[in-house]
Amino acid sequence: MAFFEVSSLFSKLGLSSTSDQTIVASITLFVTLLCACIVIGHLLEENRWMNESITAIFIVGSVYWDCDSADKWRKSSHILVFSEDLFFIYLLPPIIFNAGFQVKKKQFFRNFMTIILFGAFGTLISFFTISFGAVEIFGRMKLDSLDIGDFLAIGAIFSATDSVCTLQVLNQDETPLLYSLVFGEGVVNDATSVVLFNAVQNFDLTHINTKILFQLTGNFLYLFVISTFLGVIAGLLSAYAIKKLYFGRHSTDREVALMILMAYLSYMIAELFDLSAILTVFFCGIVMSHYTWHNVTESSRVTTKHAFATLSFMAEIFIFLYVGTDAMDIEKWRFVRSSPGESIAVSSILLGLVLIGRAAFVFPLSFLSNFAKRNPSDKIEFKQQITIWWAGLMRGAVSVALAYNKFTRLGHTQLRGNAIMITSTITVVLFSTVVFGFLTKPLIRLLLPTMRHSSSMLSSEPSSPKSFIVPLLGNDQDFEADAEADKSTSVPRPTSIRMLLTAPTHTVHRYWRKFDDRFMRPVFGGRGFAPFVPGSPTEQSVHLPDHN
């Protein structure tokens, strides 16, 4: 019975269970590649061209083509096949949660409206642009087995961006506005793309009319709002439970375990009810960093900080290798071998639609955002607009996972049109990751000269999202600095709607802080509101001598 359970597990992971030796060999090879990516990525940290994603792809390619057992590898290239279930259920949650857990909340919410403008409405514009282009162009090419629902799914698939390469180059302290926009838009974009994809899948699109469009819009807004609300509730529930019960008095392991499980539980509940699990776990991470993290012991803080960052880091590298090894599976390429020109044409058209769809909203929405802002420092300069446009050109594992979900069954397809879409998706992902990723560092250094020395920063830099040494939640210092700034700076209270619209960021931020201090933090904990229990986070601060 145990053997069948193990076989079923490896089947879910995309591993062939023909023999124990084959399974062990494939896992050993993959873990070796993971270690190689980490080591080589560290050695190439100062390189202006390379990053982890490109390193992973080149390592897979070199092993595939150069190893002595290349023939055996090619024959068994289906040992590791991309599984959208493995990606969405196991690999994506730690990445998105850590993104919310370590985000600088003050900067994120200061630019929240612009982030939503780019991440939600911008993704919708890109979706319609790519879908319309697919209908017009691929419809004339008469690809087999593709209908209007497939073309709309293509729009959702290629609206999902992967801005990891750009975020590895940008610096939160030197370009806080640009970093928060690229980072926030990337998370909201992925969530919006998945919501759009699921919405398209759940409707009969053979006859599109006004009613269908309103239903799609309503379903999208419903999923967006409810998913965010669920993440906030899960984070608050974990904060309240740890604050009231205070597990740390007996075992810090329970605190760490509860935080990890509550975060994952929020993601799975969202998946269970067909919500946007990405949005849910992202906002759960934000709420946990603001409340829950301050209610645990100091050792639990250090443990969770390192655990979340390490899991996210490993999952990212795993995904890059995962996509790369699946791309080497020769089975799926046999369907397009008879017409390679058509496959190249489809890939080129998709890449062109990605470029156009990205530009269709970045520059117009940037103009709209700048028009609504009075402070020049908050406006998006043209060079920054180009950087934002470039950051969203790369496609990643989300696009691959959605393509597999739409055009394959258990990772395989017997339809020529579906096979072309799968291979074209992989081609666009690999090309955009390698070529655009290669040019990201020099382009940003050309557009933003102040970033020239940012890549040489040590890991102790507080702004580094990959840092394991310093606290990931630098927003606490920002919070205190903002409080002091408000005390020392007299800002007139808004006496009319016009004044509120003139400086909405500052007023909303101040009102939220008052509401948070008066109602939320006394109930759910947080900085300065943790219960005083022997061994608690507040014990050290209480017994410290007063130097004032």
Side-chain angles (χ1 to χ4, degrees):
M1 184 66 181
F3 174 77
F4 291 108
E5 292 178 355
V6 173
S7 300
S8 176
L9 173 62
F10 283 118
S11 177
K12 291 181 180 179
L13 294 177
L15 298 173
S16 175
S17 56
T18 54
S19 67
D20 292 341
Q21 186 177 5
T22 303
I23 294 173
V24 173
S26 61
I27 295 178
T28 302
L29 176 61
F30 201 80
V31 173
T32 303
L33 293 179
L34 283 173
C35 296
C37 284
I38 295 176
V39 174
I40 296 176
H42 169 73
L43 296 176
L44 296 177
E45 182 71 22
E46 303 297 329
N47 190 282
R48 62 180 295 181
W49 304 95
M50 300 294 287
N51 55 63
E52 264 99 359
S53 57
I54 300 176
T55 303
I57 292 175
F58 274 109
I59 287 178
V60 172
S62 62
V63 171
Y64 179 77
W65 291 111
D66 298 335
C67 67
D68 296 333
S69 58
D71 292 336
K72 182 178 179 181
W73 176 284
R74 294 186 185 98
K75 293 178 181 178
S76 61
S77 61
H78 61 281
I79 287 178
L80 189 64
V81 179
F82 190 90
S83 169
E84 61 270 18
D85 291 336
L86 172 62
F87 171 75
F88 280 111
I89 295 179
Y90 299 105
L91 297 179
L92 193 59
I95 297 176
I96 302 300
F97 175 79
N98 185 63
F101 193 74
Q102 60 93 24
V103 68
K104 288 188 173 181
K105 297 187 289 293
K106 180 180 68 105
Q107 194 63 237
F108 178 83
F109 286 104
R110 172 172 292 175
N111 303 303
F112 185 74
M113 295 307 300
T114 305
I115 290 173
I116 294 298
L117 194 66
F118 284 166
F121 292 98
T123 304
L124 286 173
I125 295 175
S126 178
F127 163 74
F128 285 115
T129 302
I130 296 175
S131 298
F132 179 78
V135 171
E136 291 295 321
I137 300 176
F138 295 150
R140 295 178 181 179
M141 294 177 64
K142 297 181 180 180
L143 294 177
D144 299 337
S145 69
L146 297 184
D147 54 23
I148 184 64
D150 296 324
F151 295 140
L152 292 177
I154 290 173
I157 290 170
F158 288 96
S159 296
T161 64
D162 185 2
S163 55
V164 173
C165 294
T166 307
L167 289 175
Q168 289 176 348
V169 181
L170 293 178
N171 185 284
Q172 293 192 69
D173 290 334
E174 295 185 4
T175 56
L177 172 63
L178 185 59
Y179 188 95
S180 64
L181 291 180
V182 173
F183 173 84
E185 189 227 334
V187 176
V188 179
N189 167 272
D190 287 342
T192 304
S193 300
V194 175
V195 170
L196 280 173
F197 182 83
N198 292 332
V200 170
Q201 295 288 91
N202 295 331
F203 285 93
D204 181 14
L205 301 174
T206 55
H207 300 87
I208 298 181
N209 51 38
T210 307
K211 182 179 179 180
I212 292 293
L213 292 178
F214 276 111
Q215 287 178 342
L216 281 172
T217 304
N219 189 40
F220 169 78
L221 294 176
Y222 167 79
L223 292 176
F224 203 93
V225 173
I226 297 301
S227 300
T228 301
F229 182 75
L230 177 60
V232 172
I233 292 299
L236 292 177
L237 183 61
S238 68
Y240 185 80
I242 290 180
K243 177 177 180 292
K244 286 298 182 181
L245 301 178
Y246 198 72
F247 297 90
R249 73 181 67 175
H250 299 302
S251 172
T252 58
D253 296 338
R254 292 191 180 100
E255 289 182 325
V256 177
L258 186 62
M259 288 186 67
I260 295 176
L261 291 176
M262 284 295 293
Y264 191 66
L265 179 63
S266 69
Y267 186 92
M268 295 309 299
I269 290 177
E271 284 287 336
L272 181 65
F273 291 98
D274 295 326
L275 301 174
S276 175
I278 296 177
L279 272 179
T280 297
V281 77
F282 176 72
F283 280 96
C284 180
I286 291 179
V287 174
M288 277 193 174
S289 71
H290 190 66
Y291 298 110
T292 312
W293 193 73
H294 295 285
N295 296 342
V296 299
T297 60
E298 188 66 28
S299 60
S300 295
R301 295 185 191 182
V302 175
T303 302
T304 53
K305 176 184 63 179
H306 288 252
F308 294 146
T310 304
L311 288 174
S312 174
F313 178 72
M314 291 179 62
E316 286 182 7
I317 301 179
F318 191 100
I319 288 174
F320 292 135
L321 281 176
Y322 202 28
V323 174
T325 52
D326 180 69
M328 300 303 173
D329 177 19
I330 62 176
E331 294 292 334
K332 62 175 64 65
W333 299 95
R334 291 176 179 173
F335 292 96
V336 298
R337 183 179 299 177
S338 58
S339 56
E342 185 178 18
S343 179
I344 295 175
V346 172
S347 302
S348 302
I349 292 170
L350 289 173
L351 191 61
L353 291 175
V354 167
L355 295 171
I356 297 173
R358 185 74 184 169
F361 77 85
V362 169
F363 300 105
L365 293 185
S366 296
F367 174 79
L368 183 63
S369 176
N370 290 340
F371 182 77
K373 293 180 179 178
R374 300 293 182 90
N375 190 348
S377 61
D378 292 335
K379 294 186 177 182
I380 309 172
E381 299 177 357
F382 183 71
K383 291 183 177 180
Q384 293 177 328
Q385 296 177 26
I386 296 178
T387 304
I388 295 172
W389 172 74
W390 183 270
L393 294 180
M394 283 156 279
R395 296 298 178 264
V398 174
S399 296
V400 175
L402 295 179
Y404 268 79
N405 184 280
K406 178 63 181 179
F407 297 109
T408 68
R409 185 183 297 273
L410 299 177
H412 301 282
T413 180
Q414 299 295 327
L415 300 176
R416 180 173 169 276
N418 289 2
I420 290 178
M421 293 312 307
I422 291 294
T423 55
S424 297
T425 301
I426 295 176
T427 301
V428 171
V429 169
L430 294 180
F431 181 86
S432 62
T433 300
V434 174
V435 177
F436 296 156
F438 242 75
L439 299 176
T440 295
K441 286 187 179 181
L443 177 66
I444 290 181
R445 289 177 178 179
L446 176 65
L447 295 174
L448 307 171
T450 56
M451 295 294 297
R452 185 172 301 278
H453 304 292
S454 63
S455 61
S456 61
M457 298 292 182
L458 297 176
S459 60
S460 60
E461 182 184 6
S463 62
S464 173
K466 300 295 182 185
S467 173
F468 294 168
I469 300 177
V470 298
L472 297 179
L473 300 176
N475 46 292
D476 297 323
Q477 290 81 356
D478 296 337
F479 185 90
E480 293 178 339
D482 289 344
E484 295 297 328
D486 280 354
K487 292 178 181 179
S488 60
T489 306
S490 58
V491 180
R493 296 178 180 271
T495 57
S496 65
I497 297 179
R498 184 175 181 180
M499 288 189 63
L500 180 64
L501 294 177
T502 302
T505 302
H506 304 289
T507 54
V508 171
H509 184 64
R510 184 187 302 110
Y511 289 150
W512 160 249
R513 182 185 299 144
K514 290 183 177 181
F515 176 79
D516 190 32
D517 291 342
R518 182 173 299 179
F519 300 104
M520 300 296 291
R521 286 166 55 169
V523 176
F524 299 103
R527 189 178 183 87
F529 284 87
F532 176 70
V533 179
S536 70
T538 58
E539 181 184 15
Q540 183 179 1
S541 61
V542 170
H543 292 289
L544 285 177
D546 188 3
H547 297 285
N548 295 330

